[in-house]
Amino acid sequence: MSEVIRVAIQKSGKLTEKSLELFKHCGIDFESIKGRLLLKCENFPIELMMVRSSDIPEYVMDGVCQLGVLGSNVIEEKIGPLGNDNPLEVVKKLGYGRCRLSLAVPKNAEYKDLSYFNMGKIATSYPKTLRRFLNSQNLEADVIEISGSVEIAPSLQIADGICDLVSTGTTLFSNNLREAYEILSSEAVLIRSKRELNPCQEKTVSRFLQRVSGVLTARSRKYIMMNALRSNLDKIKSVLPGMEGPSIMDISNGGDKIAIHAVCREPIFWETMENLKEAGASSILVLPIEKIID
Ligand code: AMP
C-alpha cells in the first residue's frame, strides 16, 4: 500500500511562489528540474504536481491528487460553494493569496447600489459565481465571459461593469475603474476530497498537515525576551499581548533582576515594547519562531 501522496499546486501564478515556500518551510525538498511538472521529493512521501489552478479541483476530486493548494474562489467557480454538497473540503486556510471577487464600475459611473447592474452587461472570468450571485440578488444581467484582461471591457463599451479578483486595487485604478461591491473573499487553501484515502496515505496527510500547522502557527506567534526587576513582573504580564507562560529565570549576578521569556500569540507593536519599557522591562528582544508543534 503506497504512502505517497500527490499534491497539486499552481504551475505559475500569484500563489506559486508562496506555495513552494510553504513546502520548503515544512522541511520538504523537491528535486528541481526546470520545466518538469511532476516533482519527486527526497525526504517525505509526497509528489508535487504543477498544473493550472482551474484544473486542481478536478484532479483532487478524481483522486489523481490527494491534496491541492488553490484560491478558494477557484473551488467556488469550478465546483460550487463549500459545504455539505461539495465533494471537496478545505483542510487548512493558508493565509496568503488573499483577494476578493468584486463587481467594479467605471470611475465616473453613477453607481448607487446593485440595481446599477440590473439589465446591464458584466464582463468576467468567473461566470458561474457571478450568475449565482446575481440570482441570489434577483438581478438580471448579461454575463459576458472573457478569459483575461477583463478590466478593459468597460472602456471598449462591451460591458457596464466587470466582476474580477481584486487584491491591492491597482489594476482597477489603472483602468479607470472602482470597486463597487464585494461578492466573496478568497485566500489560498489546502483542499482534499471527502473520499477516504488508504490508511498509509491518511497517515502521510496527517503528518503533512501537522507540519503545515506548525509553520502557520509559528508565523502568527513571536518569542519575546526581556529583563526586569521581579517586583515589576505583574505589571509586565498585564502589558504582554496573548502571552503563554512566561518562563522566569534568574540572571547570574543580576541581583533582583530576572529574565522573562514568553511566546505571544498576538502581534507585538512598537507601542507594546514602549509600554513594556515603561513597566520596567529592559533589553527587550522580539524574535520570529520558525516551527511549533503543540
Ligand atoms: P490588484 O491590482 O493587486 O488588485 O490585482 C488584480 C489583478 O490580479 C487582477 O487581474 C486579478 O485577476 C489578479 N489577482 C489578484 N489577486 C489574485 C489572487 N489571489 N489570485 C489570482 N489572481 C489574482
Side-chain angles (χ1 to χ4, degrees):
M1 213 182 275
S2 173
E3 58 170 356
V4 178
I5 56 166
R6 198 173 288 145
V7 186
I9 73 163
Q10 192 184 41
K11 185 170 55 174
S12 62
K14 292 240 177 200
L15 305 184
T16 310
E17 199 184 321
K18 290 253 170 71
S19 302
L20 289 171
E21 196 182 283
L22 178 66
F23 282 94
K24 200 168 156 202
H25 288 159
C26 287
I28 298 174
D29 301 324
F30 291 97
E31 54 181 10
S32 70
I33 299 174
K34 213 168 177 240
R36 184 173 281 189
L37 301 179
L38 187 63
L39 304 179
K40 307 262 182 222
C41 171
E42 290 141 14
N43 57 357
F44 201 85
I46 214 166
E47 285 175 356
L48 205 58
M49 200 162 114
M50 313 291 285
V51 293
R52 280 161 55 129
S53 249
S54 54
D55 293 334
I56 294 177
E58 205 76 39
Y59 280 130
V60 176
M61 261 175 19
D62 294 349
V64 175
C65 297
Q66 285 67 46
L67 297 174
V69 175
L70 76 173
S72 52
N73 65 293
V74 181
I75 310 169
E76 182 99 16
E77 178 65 21
K78 291 286 160 189
I79 314 293
L82 287 159
N84 289 344
D85 296 339
N86 201 311
L88 298 173
E89 65 179 339
V90 168
V91 283
K92 200 92 208 157
K93 292 184 176 180
L94 299 174
Y96 59 87
R98 287 210 172 93
C99 61
R100 48 207 187 267
L101 185 68
S102 288
L103 288 162
V105 297
K107 214 180 276 176
N108 39 26
E110 282 184 27
Y111 173 87
K112 282 197 197 79
D113 53 36
L114 284 172
S115 63
Y116 170 91
F117 295 102
N118 209 17
M119 300 301 170
K121 289 180 183 167
I122 310 172
T124 189
S125 311
Y126 301 91
K128 286 190 188 155
T129 313
L130 175 58
R131 284 203 184 95
R132 232 181 345 256
F133 173 76
L134 293 171
N135 285 340
S136 74
Q137 302 290 320
N138 291 320
L139 292 170
E140 292 241 356
D142 213 355
V143 174
I144 300 167
E145 199 173 331
I146 303 180
S147 59
S149 305
V150 168
E151 303 85 4
I152 206 168
S155 62
L156 297 177
Q157 286 165 0
I158 54 173
D160 305 296
I162 66 162
C163 169
D164 199 12
L165 292 179
V166 182
S167 173
T168 58
T170 313
T171 308
L172 291 184
F173 184 81
S174 317
N175 287 282
N176 288 318
L177 298 169
R178 68 184 160 97
E179 200 170 350
Y181 194 93
E182 179 180 325
I183 292 180
L184 60 88
S185 62
S186 174
E187 69 177 288
V189 290
L190 184 67
I191 56 160
R192 64 169 287 169
S193 152
K194 285 179 183 162
R195 267 183 311 169
E196 237 177 81
L197 307 173
N198 81 45
C200 298
Q201 286 181 319
E202 285 292 353
K203 212 166 157 192
T204 309
V205 168
S206 300
R207 268 182 76 201
F208 177 57
L209 272 178
Q210 175 162 284
R211 292 200 186 185
V212 172
S213 300
V215 171
L216 298 181
T217 310
R219 275 183 195 165
S220 66
R221 297 188 196 174
K222 292 279 179 279
Y223 195 81
I224 185 161
M225 309 194 285
M226 72 204 81
N227 295 341
L229 289 174
R230 193 178 284 276
S231 54
N232 287 327
L233 183 57
D234 284 344
K235 230 190 304 173
I236 286 170
K237 275 183 176 174
S238 70
V239 172
L240 276 173
M243 184 195 54
E244 278 170 21
S247 307
I248 311 292
M249 282 152 280
D250 287 326
I251 300 175
S252 71
N253 302 325
D256 279 346
K257 265 199 172 175
I258 49 169
I260 304 167
H261 289 200
V263 173
C264 289
R265 291 173 189 272
E266 289 169 32
I268 297 169
F269 302 108
W270 281 107
E271 288 78 5
T272 315
M273 295 181 67
E274 286 158 8
N275 292 340
L276 284 169
K277 193 166 163 45
E278 225 160 83
S282 60
S283 306
I284 309 166
L285 300 184
V286 178
L287 307 171
I289 300 171
E290 199 174 303
K291 301 177 183 80
I292 292 181
I293 294 189
D294 280 324

